[in-house]
Amino acid sequence: MAAPLLLVAASGLAREVLALLREQGEREVLGFLDDDPGLVGRDVDGLPVLGGIDDVARWPAAELVVCAGRGSARRSVVERLTRAGVTPERYATVVHPGVSTAGATRIGRGTILLAGVVLTTAVEIGDHVVVMPHVTLTHDDVVQDYATLCAGVALGGWVRVGPGAYLGMSSAVRERVSVGAGATLGMGSALLEDLPAGQVWVGTPARPITTRAR
């Protein structure tokens, strides 16, 4: 029997993941962990917020899904959990049954793929990546750890998305183009050239608007 699950961060994303898991009906979800003291003891979509993140030791047999929306937040939570003794093997990967995969596709630990995602062939997705509904990843794409692909994103072939990058809703990336670590591509933008690490680009074609540390 599969281990029970804890959803870490009682976010909107966590509620989407919970709905997916209930649809599948294959895993027991114990509840949420969240550091907001106003949430602890309350129910979210019918399940309790059981405690803060540091309370994870109370459920040593549970597997975890980190549901913070931003990649930088997911990374911070995973680092805290690592210090608390949580090993990589405890992170569950959640894939909607409607996700389309083919060929030699790799999906990392703790990654979330929601409804309507299409992975064509030879796609690599790292750990703790979030791929929202109706994203299309075509051949030989690589999406690295903690990246976030919002609803409707489309990547051409051989695209590389760096760690912690954020691609806004309905944005598109031309084939053989890279998105740097921690970079942001704005909603509805079309990226035709490499986006450097840490920068924010918007528009069609996308152009830089600022540089910021992440």
Side-chain angles (χ1 to χ4, degrees), residues 60 62 64 78 81-92 109 128:
L64 310 173
V78 170
L81 291 170
T82 299
R83 292 193 294 270
V86 174
T87 59
E89 293 75 19
R90 286 189 62 188
Y91 292 107
R109 293 185 184 275
H128 303 287

Side-chain angles (χ1 to χ4, degrees), residues 29-199:
V29 183
L30 300 175
F32 305 89
L33 298 180
D34 196 288
D35 282 342
D36 183 346
L39 289 176
V40 175
R42 296 177 55 187
D43 279 3
V44 175
D45 287 2
L47 282 181
V49 179
L50 297 164
I53 293 171
D54 292 335
D55 292 318
V56 67
R58 292 164 53 191
W59 296 274
E63 293 187 349
L64 310 173
V65 184
V66 178
C67 297
R70 279 276 181 177
S72 56
R74 291 196 299 278
R75 185 193 302 271
S76 177
V77 169
V78 170
E79 289 172 352
R80 282 180 60 186
L81 291 170
T82 299
R83 292 193 294 270
V86 174
T87 59
E89 293 75 19
R90 286 189 62 188
Y91 292 107
T93 298
V94 178
V95 179
H96 191 280
V99 170
S100 174
T101 62
T105 295
R106 175 192 175 272
I107 301 170
R109 293 185 184 275
T111 285
I112 299 165
L113 274 63
L114 297 181
V117 172
V118 175
L119 315 177
T120 61
T121 189
V123 173
E124 296 185 21
I125 301 178
D127 298 337
H128 303 287
V129 172
V130 171
V131 184
M132 299 299 286
H134 304 293
V135 170
T136 300
L137 306 179
T138 54
H139 64 88
D140 303 290
D141 288 339
V142 176
V143 180
Q144 294 183 284
D145 299 350
Y146 302 103
T148 304
L149 278 59
C150 294
V153 165
L155 307 184
W158 291 292
V159 166
R160 188 175 188 89
V161 178
Y166 182 93
L167 277 61
M169 286 190 298
S170 299
S171 60
V173 181
R174 185 177 183 174
E175 68 273 9
R176 300 182 185 275
V177 167
S178 295
V179 178
T184 295
L185 180 63
M187 180 173 59
S189 299
L191 185 65
L192 305 182
E193 57 187 291
D194 291 349
L195 196 170
Q199 293 193 10

